[in-house]
C-alpha cells in the first residue's frame, strides 16, 4: 500500500572522506526504488558531493535542516533555494534536537515545511513526546499539536508530498525503543489527525516513519505494523552493513 521509506539521519557525524566512502560503498547495493525509498540525510557540507555520487542510483540525499527564507542576513543558515540548486531530495524539519538545542518553534517548522515544498524538496517532519509527557499520558495530544502546527495552511495536494517522522524523544540515542505496538498506536493517531485535517485519502497516502533507536534487530517488527511506513535512523545508519540491513528490511516489508 505505502512504499516504505528508510532515512538515515547522520546528525553531526562522519568526516567528509568517511561520508564519501560510505556512499561509494552502498550506492550500487540499494534495493530497488520500487520496493523502498532509501535516503541519507548528511551534514550540509557534504551534500553537493553526495548528490553527485548518488546520481543515477537508487539512493536519495537529504539535508538535516534549512532556513525558510529564500535568502538574507541569516549567518550560518542554508536556504531552500540553495538545497534545490544542488538537487537535494529531502530535508528533515523540526527534529527534536533542533527544537531543544536551537529553540526551533512550531511556527518556524511550518514555515520551513512550506518553503521546502515550494522548492520541490520533500520535508520529513518530526514530532515526538518527552518521557514526562508520555508518563503523564500526553503523548497523543503533544504529537497531534505538533502535526497540526507543522501542516497549518497546507493544501491536500501539498500534504501528499510530506513524510512525517514520529520520534519519541526518550527513545532517541538511548537504546530504548518504543514497542512496535506503542509506535503503531501513535502513528495511527497521527494518521487520524491527518484524516481530520485533509480527509481519508490524504491520511491513507501519507507515510509515517518511526524513529528512536531503530536497529536491524527491531526494524522488522516495527515495519510489520500497519501504521508504520518506515524509519528515521540515527546511530544504526552510520555503519554500511547496518544501514543496508535496514534497507533490506524496508524492501521486504
Ligand atoms: O534522532 C533520530 C533520527 O532522526 C534517532 O536516532 P537514533 O536512531 O540514534 O535513536
Amino acid at each position: 500500500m505505502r512504499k516504505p521509506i528508510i532515512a538515515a539521519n547522520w546528525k553531526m557525524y562522519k568526516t567528509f572522506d568517511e561520508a564519501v566512502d560510505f556512499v561509494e560503498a552502498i550506492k550500487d547495493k540499494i534495493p530497488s526504488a520500487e520496493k523502498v525509498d532509501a535516503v541519507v540525510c548528511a551534514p550540509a557540507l557534504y551534500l553537493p558531493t553526495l548528490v553527485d555520487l548518488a546520481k543515477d542510483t537508487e539512493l536519495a540525499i537529504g539535508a538535516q535542516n534549512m532556513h525558510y527564507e529564500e535568502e538574507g542576513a541569516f549567518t550560518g543558515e542554508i536556504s531552500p533555494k540553495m538545497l534545490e540548486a544542488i538537487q537535494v531530495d529531502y530535508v528533515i524539519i523540526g527534529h527534536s534536537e533542533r527544537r531543544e538545542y536551537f529553540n526551533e518553534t512550531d511556527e518556524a517548522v511550518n514555515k520551513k515545511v512550506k518553503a521546502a515544498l515550494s522548492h520541490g524538496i520533500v520535508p520529513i517532519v518530526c514530532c515526538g513526546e518527552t518521557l514526562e509527557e508520555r508518563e503523564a499520558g500526553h503523548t497523543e495530544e503533544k504529537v497531534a499539536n505538533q502535526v497540526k502546527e507543522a501542516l497549518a495552511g497546507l493544501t491536500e495536494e501539498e500534504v501528499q508530498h510530506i513524510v512525517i517522522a514520529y520520534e519519541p524523544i526518550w527513545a532517541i540515542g538511548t537504546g530504548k525503543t518504543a514497542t512496535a505496538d506503542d509506535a503503531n498506536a501513535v502513528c495511527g493517531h497521527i494518521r487520524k489527525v491527518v484524516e481530520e485535517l485533509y480527509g481519508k485519502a490524504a491520511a491513507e497516502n501519507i507515510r509515517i516513519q518511526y524513529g528512536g533507536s531503530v536497529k536491524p534487530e527491531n526494524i522488522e517488527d516495527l515495519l510489520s505494523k500497519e501504521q508504520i511506513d518506515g524509519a528515521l535512523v540515527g546511530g544504526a545508519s552510520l555503519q554500511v552493513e547496518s544501514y543496508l540491513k535496514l534497507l533490506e528490511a524496508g524492501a521486504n516489508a
Side-chain angles (χ1 to χ4, degrees):
M1 188 163 67
R2 294 179 293 267
K3 181 169 54 169
I5 175 167
I6 306 295
N9 175 8
W10 283 354
K11 303 189 183 181
M12 193 172 77
Y13 291 105
K14 291 190 184 299
T15 63
F16 176 79
D17 288 345
E18 287 167 344
V20 169
D21 291 349
F22 186 104
V23 172
E24 287 286 10
I26 67 166
K27 66 181 184 168
D28 299 324
K29 299 176 180 168
I30 308 287
S32 162
E34 286 172 16
K35 299 179 79 175
V36 62
D37 280 331
V39 187
V40 164
C41 297
L45 272 179
Y46 309 158
L47 294 177
T49 303
L50 299 187
V51 166
D52 283 348
L53 279 178
K55 217 178 276 308
D56 304 326
T57 74
E58 306 281 61
L59 178 67
I61 301 297
Q64 297 175 20
N65 178 47
M66 66 170 213
H67 200 280
Y68 48 79
E69 292 291 352
E70 292 294 293
E71 59 186 15
F74 304 104
T75 303
E77 288 293 320
I78 293 166
S79 79
K81 204 162 75 167
M82 296 170 183
L83 294 178
E84 181 184 25
I86 59 168
Q87 297 173 314
V88 164
D89 303 299
Y90 292 82
V91 60
I92 298 172
I93 292 178
H95 190 281
S96 60
E97 290 153 3
R98 295 212 55 83
R99 294 173 189 259
E100 180 181 354
Y101 304 133
F102 304 99
N103 303 314
E104 193 148 301
T105 62
D106 285 323
E107 185 192 5
V109 167
N110 179 246
K111 288 178 178 176
K112 292 184 178 190
V113 169
K114 289 172 177 171
L117 291 170
S118 68
H119 286 272
I121 303 169
V122 177
I124 297 177
V125 186
C126 298
C127 62
E129 81 285 4
T130 64
L131 188 57
E132 294 74 27
E133 288 164 336
R134 171 165 282 269
E135 288 172 344
H138 295 161
T139 296
E140 293 193 347
E141 176 193 352
K142 168 72 176 300
V143 298
N145 286 338
Q146 286 182 313
V147 169
K148 286 173 186 168
E149 297 273 348
L151 304 186
L154 295 188
T155 65
E156 182 183 344
E157 201 285 325
E158 287 173 322
V159 163
Q160 294 178 51
H161 303 283
I162 280 176
V163 177
I164 293 175
Y166 165 56
E167 296 200 304
I169 295 167
W170 49 270
I172 295 175
T174 62
K176 274 186 285 186
T177 315
T179 67
D181 286 335
D182 276 353
N184 187 59
V186 179
C187 291
H189 184 71
I190 291 168
R191 202 175 301 280
K192 238 190 227 79
V193 170
V194 174
E195 183 174 352
E196 286 161 11
L197 295 170
Y198 295 100
K200 199 158 185 57
E204 284 304 308
N205 291 326
I206 196 165
R207 291 187 291 180
I208 303 172
Q209 299 170 307
Y210 166 78
S213 297
V214 174
K215 298 183 276 289
E217 296 75 26
N218 60 30
I219 191 167
E220 285 174 7
D221 193 17
L222 287 160
L223 296 183
S224 71
K225 299 300 176 187
E226 187 197 347
Q227 302 298 339
I228 301 176
D229 307 311
L232 185 55
V233 187
S237 73
L238 292 168
Q239 297 79 30
V240 166
E241 284 321 307
S242 174
Y243 182 62
L244 289 174
K245 284 181 184 156
L246 297 171
L247 294 182
E248 209 48 46
N252 298 330

